Amino acid sequence: TAASSRIFSTSTSDKRKLLAPSDTFISRHIGPSEAETKAMLQKVGANSVQELIEQTIPKQIRLNRGLKFSSFREGRGESEMLQELKEIASKNKIFKSFIGAGYYGTILPPVILRNLLENPAWYTSYTPYQAEISQGRLESLLNFQTLVTDLTGLPIANASLLDEATACAEAMYMCNAFSSNKSFFVSSDCHPQNIALVQTRARAIGVNVIVGDHATFDFAANPVSGALVQYPTTDGRVLDYSGFVNKAHEGGAKVVVSTDLLALTSIKAPGEFGADIVCGSAQRFGVPMGFGGPHAAFFATKDEFKRKMPGRVIGVSRDSRGKPALRMSMQTREQHIRREKATSNICTAQALLANIAAMYAIYHGPQGLRRIADRVHTYAGVLAEGVKALGYEVPTETFFDTITVKGVSADKLLKIGYDSQINLRRLDSNSVSVSVDETTDLKDLNTLLSVFSQGITGNATHSLDLDALLARVGSEYPETLRRSTPFLTHPIFNSISSETQMLRYLYRLQQKDLSLATSMIPLGSCTMKLNATSEMIPITWPEFGNLHPFVPADQAKGYHIMMNQLREALCEVTGFAEVSLQPNSGAQGEYAGLLAIKKYHESRGDLQRDVCLIPTSAHGTNPASAILAGMQVVVVQCDEHGNIDVGDLSAKIAQHKDRLSALMVTYPSTHGVFEESIKDVCAMVHEAGGQVYMDGANMNAQVGLTRPGDIGADVCHLNLHKTFCIPHGGGGPGMGPIGVVKHLAPFLPNHPVVDMTDGNKIRDSSDSSQSYGTVSAAPYGSASILPISYMYIALMGAEGLRRSTQFAILNANYMAARLRDHYPILFTGRNGRVAHEFIIDIRPLKAATGITEEDVAKRLMDFGFHAPTMSFPVAGTLMIEPTESEDKGELDRLCDALIIIRQEIRDVEEGRADPKDNALKGAPHTMDVVCNSNWTRKYSREQAAFPAPWVHSLGKFWPSVGRIDNVWGDRNLVCTCPPVSDYETK
Amino acid sequence: TAASSRIFSTSTSDKRKLLAPSDTFISRHIGPSEAETKAMLQKVGANSVQELIEQTIPKQIRLNRGLKFSSFREGRGESEMLQELKEIASKNKIFKSFIGAGYYGTILPPVILRNLLENPAWYTSYTPYQAEISQGRLESLLNFQTLVTDLTGLPIANASLLDEATACAEAMYMCNAFSSNKSFFVSSDCHPQNIALVQTRARAIGVNVIVGDHATFDFAANPVSGALVQYPTTDGRVLDYSGFVNKAHEGGAKVVVSTDLLALTSIKAPGEFGADIVCGSAQRFGVPMGFGGPHAAFFATKDEFKRKMPGRVIGVSRDSRGKPALRMSMQTREQHIRREKATSNICTAQALLANIAAMYAIYHGPQGLRRIADRVHTYAGVLAEGVKALGYEVPTETFFDTITVKGVSADKLLKIGYDSQINLRRLDSNSVSVSVDETTDLKDLNTLLSVFSQGITGNATHSLDLDALLARVGSEYPETLRRSTPFLTHPIFNSISSETQMLRYLYRLQQKDLSLATSMIPLGSCTMKLNATSEMIPITWPEFGNLHPFVPADQAKGYHIMMNQLREALCEVTGFAEVSLQPNSGAQGEYAGLLAIKKYHESRGDLQRDVCLIPTSAHGTNPASAILAGMQVVVVQCDEHGNIDVGDLSAKIAQHKDRLSALMVTYPSTHGVFEESIKDVCAMVHEAGGQVYMDGANMNAQVGLTRPGDIGADVCHLNLHKTFCIPHGGGGPGMGPIGVVKHLAPFLPNHPVVDMTDGNKIRDSSDSSQSYGTVSAAPYGSASILPISYMYIALMGAEGLRRSTQFAILNANYMAARLRDHYPILFTGRNGRVAHEFIIDIRPLKAATGITEEDVAKRLMDFGFHAPTMSFPVAGTLMIEPTESEDKGELDRLCDALIIIRQEIRDVEEGRADPKDNALKGAPHTMDVVCNSNWTRKYSREQAAFPAPWVHSLGKFWPSVGRIDNVWGDRNLVCTCPPVSDYETK
Ligand SMILES: Cc1ncc(COP(=O)(O)O)c(C=O)c1O
Ligand SMILES: Cc1ncc(COP(=O)(O)O)c(C=O)c1O
Ligand SMILES: O=C([O-])O
């Protein structure tokens, strides 16, 4: 017992240990206790964790030393680490930024901050593939889509994309998919990062981008698939594009309008002047700038184009009771179905941020949003009058929130602004722009006018009179530009005005959703581990939140220190020379990595190398990314053990030798196995002049035990939202940084606005001229969530990370050992071990009983569990990944549930249960079905709802709708909030 | 629609309004929208809110001007106000404090911080009177009691008291209640605030306190009811009190030990050496010092004394299904039952903080706690060796965390410490003490040794070697002092080691509890209004959390600015000259106010004035407080309209004229009525030389419309946890500051350690020599929750506060208007109006049908509602207080529920429902009852669980146990965690 341990009989060195922090983290992150570990090893049949690892990971790739982190001491306490990061964060200088260009100050209503963004019940949930236990966030995402369709004036919207610039590029892909013209027009009035991204992406697929003046562009002379304009323009002008749209359409081109949701409350909706695709960023709807992200991009289009629309779309369908129910619709469009035919590789998006934007709109309602827009516009108006009165020229005649100011040296003005702790945007040598926003107040206005006064008179005090300026503020928008249609008329946007109502709405939705706060989410390939509070706390610090991504580097010192330490650590973890933090999802990492490989070959004159080998078992984003990188996908077979068929690989290499660009390989494999041949595989590819791209989705089985760089990979992306503890947020945000070997480092992404060599101390080359281009809108992707991974690595240290991986493997092997007698385990590696995940095969049971993997998945909901990954990588199977954060008790409950389910299947098999009317086919069971007087099923209410003893004692989680009819929903697509009457019992 | 409002056709002054903040708060705090207000006024039959108020509040007391706040501008935005308070907070200097004396640095585990302290589902819940929907926090409080009994070694504990010093005083009351000796011994080794508080409280009831050396105290010569010692002593010594206990017991005295829970993991439990009562503070179990509070005090005693134990006790009982269920036990001990016979006035306690302490213990488990204690002890040991090596004397031979250091001028050392940003404690002119704690680290140790080095050599660098010091760190505690018994052996303290497990445990308990995040809590007299996020955010800022209450005033400038502005505002709200922030609950406010009155009379030579008049309708704390203030309670009758019977009052005044000390009156009355006679009543009391104490529990009906000071009161307490938005926390914390007229100001509470005139700019008298004494351990009570009320007042401004009160009254009158045809409304004022709350009478229905107010209360749970206040102030009734924060939709749902229930009663009345087996008697209905195959009740499952259409659509809230058998539980008292087997289905 505790009381019998006597500290003073300990030696000095033991006493010394007592002086160490008492709030260390490793045992908080890892689920099993010491006693549990013992019991689990016994079940697994290994004498020690070490032995198990030796049986699992091939010797030739095992790392025989501990990781070494120069920035991170071992054994840090959570509280001291939080303090230390706070000190680093405070090196960021929080000036007021009037830079605009797609990023604006905004006020996140505190009730949403605390109860959504800072609430694990929201941020730890997964993408709502299992719709019956995700109706809360599905409702919220449907609200987001309604917001987008209403404001853009187009009928179909998705549930977010990664950022505005990638959204523009996705629009370009879409236009391209509908056209045979291999050119695309981009207005030079677009934000520079939008232009750069479209250029990068177009170049990779051989589309020619024409950047120019939209007013003079000749569609007849230059046939293009589509044209992109910015509305308002990057320097602030609100232009009438209706003539342009007509010309484009006459020329057979689609029009993409990248726009601003807040402005659209006041200016004409692009859908109303004929736009085909409307996209942009919803950042200023409550999401802090965060040095570039994460924020939700939006994307809307016309009905006729919906089946080529990228991203996830939430739609209304009906459930087994015939009641309305939400789910992700039209999934057949997605890359995991279309693979080599995909026109987009988007997978993880920005669900959490889309939810914030939707809640922001609900909180303010249409009047409130319009009031914020009017306020911003009035500030811009007063500012314009003020600077004109000071003697400047303001060429932006019609504007929303941004004005251009001409007439004095821009550098001089920026310097004066800097001294007053504000950031202006430099447009050219003698013009700047100023974007005001929701956070702008009278003090800011005064500072701005003082700065401009100083710029022209040398004197900071001015004699401008606010009322006089206000009186001069111009007339309303011209008829052609003015919004005259209503928006957000649905009751959900008009029923909440008090904080109490908002709080209860958030809680009501939360109750419907299963998250890590409820129970484990054993999704293979997704690594749903602990997202610890200490990791999450820093992301809502204003020191990280309130930075514009384009501020001068010296205002972002805190970010640079944090990012450099993180990059260094990731280099050590992966065995690579350099890491780029730009890609903000795994798929974007794949894409960025393939571009680096492409550019590497080009730099060597190997222009013909365009074949990408991809095993059949690969995740759908792999072929999609390869296609978007302009490569040709050649599929490599797997053998019956789930390993790459080395013979087939060899044949394919031989066949495409000169054209071989890359092999994409996931390690351990998507089958959950450490393939023994991996080093040979890499060597074969290198031999043939190819590069090895490693998909790092399964890094959770590698960290500290082996390294992609050592295995032979040349590039690897890391899903920080899997292995490195960024929560999934119900479908994003994520981060997909890539590590590369030295020879690929010069080809990492660059940025059109920010000089990325600033503050980047580990980059080998200080020159980004060799980069293929830009893959995210912001230079460091979703920088503001990097503190999560930073804290994780800092708190775990080398020792903790290694143990973490060991336990990820132990937990998986323990579950496999318990389940082995009940379900076939599909693939195992040497010594019968699995990696950090494993597949149970439902196909033989289906053949025997008609019970499918979907039935098992839905039935697990009745036990309060989220299903494992369904039918990936093998149709008809379930892939289980427990992660290291789950304790034995939870692992046992999931095993018990699966074993009870197996018994239920046997009941069907052996005729004790009806093949159609049984607890599996009837799952999931909702409250109103179970509580109904009229129970007609052939099994009991208790079996339906309380199939295991702990279901009640641990708190029953009720699926809020019955099994959803996906086909019906796709046939009757509704992706905006339906009228309330639809929800009434019919 | 929003789109049709055109800002540029507005006038300059309208445009100017557009420049104001867009995140103002008033409409976020108040529930009803404009449209709803119109509809509600119509139902009420008033043309305007103004008219309704005129019909409700007597003309002669109406305030005919707006409130004026010198510190608070109108129309502030939430974000700017948060920034402004942050700036004020940052004026606090956060030094490391080694002061000890009951307050210690501690680390609140982030997962508990975020998911309990910062989670509205925890902090907005009410005291668990309605146990069936409170099993989550009841379980947590039972854990707290188990923690306390295990560590103290006594079998019975309560669920918290206000602070350590009041706990000592409560112990003194208890000893006094068991004895005829009117003396009490207090060791001079106790913390000074404990001594002061016992002295104050004892003096008021005529108990003589002897402060002295426990070692030499002669019980035979000085018969006392009890004796209080500190363990370890305030200067750090761990003493063997067993001989002292024997002597005390031989002398017929009880022994009270005030102690430290962390130390008790290592030193002998007081219960083991015979202590009768053990109390202290659980602050260092995770609760920030917060400049004095709030923290949970604990209190444990022997079984034979349990019925005189103060405070709420959670006990295990069983429910209608025979299953274990928790609830507050032995409530007949409480002051609302015992009234004039009460021996304690404690009501609101520190539930939220007790929950934090319990969760902290679960998070660490016995080993973890012991490790923290060992660590702290080792630091203290190294420090002792270090200062001895430097040449100091350390008289504390056996210590836990605190050592006394002698041998140099204390003032000089404090000054050197100050320059190194640390605080030491001055004991006398040449000794200081140093208390280390969980947050102490090697850096601190080094700073401390440098400071001591400088104190003796003038040189801050010392040549001490850590390992050498460690080697010298002494032997273990002597056998007689060492703890050898196990503690926290219950599985709940031994089953959670990972953050994931902790998170799920917190969520599992949360799910069982109804809070404001679920639905309205219409508790009359309790004002369960919005506790807004912006109000809550500052309380977890380290700038407010990490201050020891005894730091020099110049380190607490931020606190003083905030508190002075708040006091000024409260003076304006109440119409008083001065406000004391010391009392940390309403009942303590009553007590402090009565002491001021008592001292006032004494100061005028009116020593005989000891009669306190109290109307029958008063809250139980009123007579209890009067008794504890040494007054004699004389009850005044009410008339059939619920008003004070002015005839009876007049008679009682006449009868007790010379002895009249005070009248205690609640306004508007506890019946929810603005009594017309209030001014006359006050005048009558004054005429007779008495003072008027106003119970401000109902201030939510007064703020901005009338003022206690103007009405004629001399003192009034404000429950900041009702009117001023401090959340109830499931039963505390609260704050009960008192406002007083000028002539009472000199008699407000003082403090034995802190000079309260420091930084107190509005206090009339800068001298506290006339104070009666000290009522809370900390000079400003629970200072760290004052930002909540500060933010509320600052954000609402005069206009907002006035509207808030108007809507509190409108909402109550609207509900009364809707319910009037269904239930008798018991009391109304002029024009048939109620104040901010009203009473519906269930007695006639009970007479007719046997359906009781309890049946109605429990039945409301099936609708997802918390019951109104039951049987207070009138038995057999329900008192409804909606507050201004509820919108019409929610008010209507509660009305609908009550109307449906009325129909169900009618079904019994008219024979359609069985008088015993009906949905009312069967309520509340749990999931396992409703989902059971075997349904035998005479009504349907649907009627049981889904009695209104919105119950399902808004998210069914399930009571987690059936109706609880209170009598059984009191007869079989169990107030610690029962063995797990008890919970298994029998
Ligand atoms: C094996 C694999 N590769 C790539 C991805 C794509 O990553 P992201 O969703 O971050 O774009 C995933 C996502 O689950 C994956 O499992
Ligand atoms: C009328 C009245 N007076 C006094 C009190 C006691 O206040 P507290 O619980 O803060 O001690 C209450 C508490 O509900 C009350 O309603
Ligand atoms: O999102 C996934 O495709 O795993």
Side-chain angles (χ1 to χ4, degrees), chain B residues 360-595:
Chain B
Y360 175 96
I362 289 168
Y363 183 79
H364 289 293
Q367 273 91 348
L369 292 176
R370 180 61 199 257
R371 189 190 176 294
I372 293 168
D374 286 352
R375 182 175 178 277
V376 164
H377 186 40
T378 307
Y379 270 102
V382 175
L383 182 68
E385 293 306 322
V387 297
K388 280 193 267 178
L390 288 167
Y392 290 89
E393 189 191 333
V394 176
T396 21
E397 264 175 57
T398 308
F399 52 82
F400 168 58
D401 63 355
T402 298
I403 60 168
T404 295
V405 183
K406 264 186 160 40
V408 82
S409 150
D411 292 329
K412 181 175 157 191
L413 268 178
L414 259 63
K415 171 72 177 67
I416 298 171
Y418 186 95
D419 293 339
S420 300
Q421 312 213 337
I422 66 170
N423 293 310
L424 305 174
R425 178 173 172 208
R426 185 190 194 282
L427 289 176
D428 58 39
S429 61
N430 74 339
S431 55
V432 299
S433 70
V434 189
S435 298
V436 298
D437 61 45
E438 189 184 3
T439 69
T440 306
D441 61 17
L442 286 170
K443 216 170 68 215
D444 298 324
L445 181 66
N446 193 52
T447 307
L448 282 165
L449 291 174
S450 300
V451 164
F452 281 106
S453 168
Q454 224 179 316
I456 216 157
T457 68
N459 196 333
T461 54
H462 57 81
S463 56
L464 298 169
D465 171 59
L466 182 59
D467 284 319
L469 295 178
L470 267 172
R472 248 178 282 156
V473 164
S475 60
E476 59 185 62
Y477 293 108
E479 184 71 45
T480 48
L481 293 175
R482 189 191 313 150
R483 179 164 197 129
S484 58
T485 49
F487 55 91
L488 303 187
T489 54
H490 191 272
I492 186 59
F493 296 101
N494 294 279
S495 57
I496 285 176
S497 69
S498 76
E499 178 166 332
T500 300
Q501 291 170 313
M502 191 75 218
L503 174 68
R504 292 191 191 141
Y505 184 59
L506 286 163
Y507 265 78
R508 194 184 320 146
L509 297 193
Q510 168 182 333
Q511 301 294 341
K512 298 183 179 181
D513 286 12
L514 191 143
S515 73
L516 286 176
T518 326
S519 56
M520 74 185 285
I521 301 183
L523 284 169
S525 206
C526 296
T527 313
M528 301 294 291
K529 55 164 67 170
L530 170 69
N531 314 115
T533 317
S534 288
E535 294 154 9
M536 293 301 294
I537 283 175
I539 68 157
T540 45
W541 286 343
E543 292 89 341
F544 284 131
N546 293 345
L547 234 64
H548 191 287
F550 302 163
V551 296
D554 83 299
Q555 289 174 37
K557 281 213 180 100
Y559 261 113
H560 285 296
I561 293 170
M562 188 265 290
M563 293 193 300
N564 285 336
Q565 292 184 2
L566 178 61
R567 284 161 63 218
E568 233 184 290
L570 295 178
C571 282
E572 171 66 4
V573 164
T574 53
F576 285 123
E578 181 52 294
V579 159
S580 164
L581 297 173
Q582 191 171 101
N584 51 14
S585 74
Q588 300 319 306
E590 295 168 20
Y591 179 72
L594 292 175
L595 288 191

Side-chain angles (χ1 to χ4, degrees), chain B residues 347-348 525 585-587 590 619 621 666 670 695 697 717 719 721-722:
Chain B
C347 181
T348 287
S525 206
S585 74
E590 295 168 20
H619 192 262
T621 51
T666 306
T670 55
D695 181 326
H717 78 259
N719 298 66
H721 48 300
K722 297 179 178 177

Side-chain angles (χ1 to χ4, degrees), chain A residues 126 129 312 347 526 619:
Chain A
Y126 186 65
Y129 284 103
R312 293 159 177 159
C347 181
C526 295
H619 192 261

Side-chain angles (χ1 to χ4, degrees), chain A residues 126 312 345-348 525-526 585-588 590 619 621-622 666 670 695 697-698 717 719 721-722 872:
Chain A
Y126 186 65
R312 293 159 177 159
N345 67 342
I346 178 97
C347 181
T348 288
S525 206
C526 295
S585 74
Q588 301 320 304
E590 295 168 20
H619 192 261
T621 50
N622 291 12
T666 305
T670 56
D695 181 327
N698 289 346
H717 77 259
N719 299 66
H721 48 300
K722 298 179 177 177
F872 173 79

Side-chain angles (χ1 to χ4, degrees), chain A residues 506-810:
Chain A
L506 286 162
Y507 265 78
R508 196 186 318 146
L509 297 194
Q510 169 182 333
Q511 301 294 340
K512 297 182 181 183
D513 286 12
L514 191 142
S515 72
L516 286 176
T518 325
S519 55
M520 74 185 284
I521 302 182
L523 283 168
S525 206
C526 295
T527 314
M528 300 295 290
K529 54 163 69 172
L530 170 69
N531 314 115
T533 316
S534 287
E535 293 154 10
M536 293 301 293
I537 283 175
I539 69 158
T540 46
W541 287 343
E543 292 88 341
F544 283 131
N546 293 344
L547 233 64
H548 191 287
F550 302 162
V551 297
D554 83 300
Q555 289 174 37
K557 281 213 180 98
Y559 261 113
H560 284 295
I561 292 170
M562 187 264 291
M563 294 192 302
N564 284 336
Q565 291 185 2
L566 178 61
R567 284 162 62 219
E568 232 182 290
L570 295 178
C571 282
E572 170 66 4
V573 164
T574 53
F576 284 124
E578 180 53 295
V579 159
S580 163
L581 298 172
Q582 191 171 104
N584 49 16
S585 74
Q588 301 320 304
E590 295 168 20
Y591 180 72
L594 293 175
L595 288 191
I597 290 173
K598 186 182 175 90
K599 195 70 199 295
Y600 164 77
H601 289 308
E602 285 179 23
S603 76
R604 294 156 47 99
D606 279 354
L607 302 178
Q608 80 294 354
R609 290 199 176 268
D610 67 349
V611 163
C612 188
L613 303 178
I614 302 183
T616 48
S617 61
H619 192 261
T621 50
N622 291 12
S625 298
I627 293 297
L628 298 181
M631 296 183 180
Q632 187 192 320
V633 173
V634 171
V635 175
V636 179
Q637 298 307 313
C638 290
D639 65 22
E640 76 272 29
H641 304 297
N643 297 327
I644 291 178
D645 179 333
V646 180
D648 188 50
L649 175 67
S650 180
K652 297 281 162 65
I653 290 177
Q655 188 183 340
H656 300 285
K657 194 166 176 23
D658 296 338
R659 286 181 57 201
L660 181 61
S661 178
L663 164 75
M664 294 186 87
V665 58
T666 305
Y667 201 75
S669 75
T670 56
H671 292 152
V673 172
F674 281 100
E675 293 174 79
E676 297 281 329
S677 59
I678 186 68
K679 275 202 142 173
D680 303 335
V681 164
C682 293
M684 286 162 66
V685 172
H686 286 146
E687 189 112 333
Q691 296 282 292
V692 176
Y693 183 95
M694 187 171 279
D695 181 327
N698 289 346
M699 267 307 284
N700 212 46
Q702 286 197 45
V703 179
L705 302 180
T706 179
R707 311 195 303 173
D710 299 349
I711 294 170
D714 300 286
V715 202
C716 175
H717 77 259
L718 302 172
N719 299 66
L720 297 188
H721 48 300
K722 298 179 177 177
T723 315
F724 295 94
C725 298
I726 293 179
H728 280 72
M735 269 295 269
I738 51 174
V740 293
V741 292
K742 195 164 175 181
H743 67 258
L744 291 179
F747 311 109
L748 287 173
N750 65 6
H751 196 267
V753 179
V754 175
D755 176 0
M756 293 185 60
T757 56
D758 268 14
N760 267 6
K761 81 173 187 308
I762 61 168
R763 168 75 65 94
D764 280 323
S765 149
S766 64
D767 149 35
S768 60
S769 64
Q770 296 193 74
S771 168
Y772 197 93
T774 307
V775 301
S776 294
Y780 306 99
S782 296
S784 69
I785 51 175
L786 292 174
I788 301 168
S789 302
Y790 179 93
M791 284 294 288
Y792 175 61
I793 296 172
L795 288 170
M796 295 296 278
E799 167 63 14
L801 290 177
R802 194 178 53 83
R803 276 181 53 196
S804 190
T805 310
Q806 291 174 332
F807 276 86
I809 292 172
L810 172 62

Side-chain angles (χ1 to χ4, degrees), chain A residues 821-878:
Chain A
D821 295 341
H822 306 278
Y823 295 91
I825 309 293
L826 204 48
F827 304 109
T828 53
R830 54 206 294 273
N831 308 308
R833 299 302 182 198
V834 299
H836 65 309
E837 61 189 5
F838 63 97
I839 296 172
I840 61 176
D841 196 351
I842 312 296
R843 291 170 302 187
L845 299 173
K846 181 176 173 186
T849 62
I851 301 297
T852 66
E853 73 284 5
E854 190 182 33
D855 296 328
V856 176
K858 301 304 171 188
R859 181 62 175 145
L860 276 171
M861 295 175 181
D862 293 328
F863 291 80
F865 280 116
H866 192 290
T869 298
M870 234 174 67
S871 292
F872 173 79
V874 184
T877 66
L878 295 171

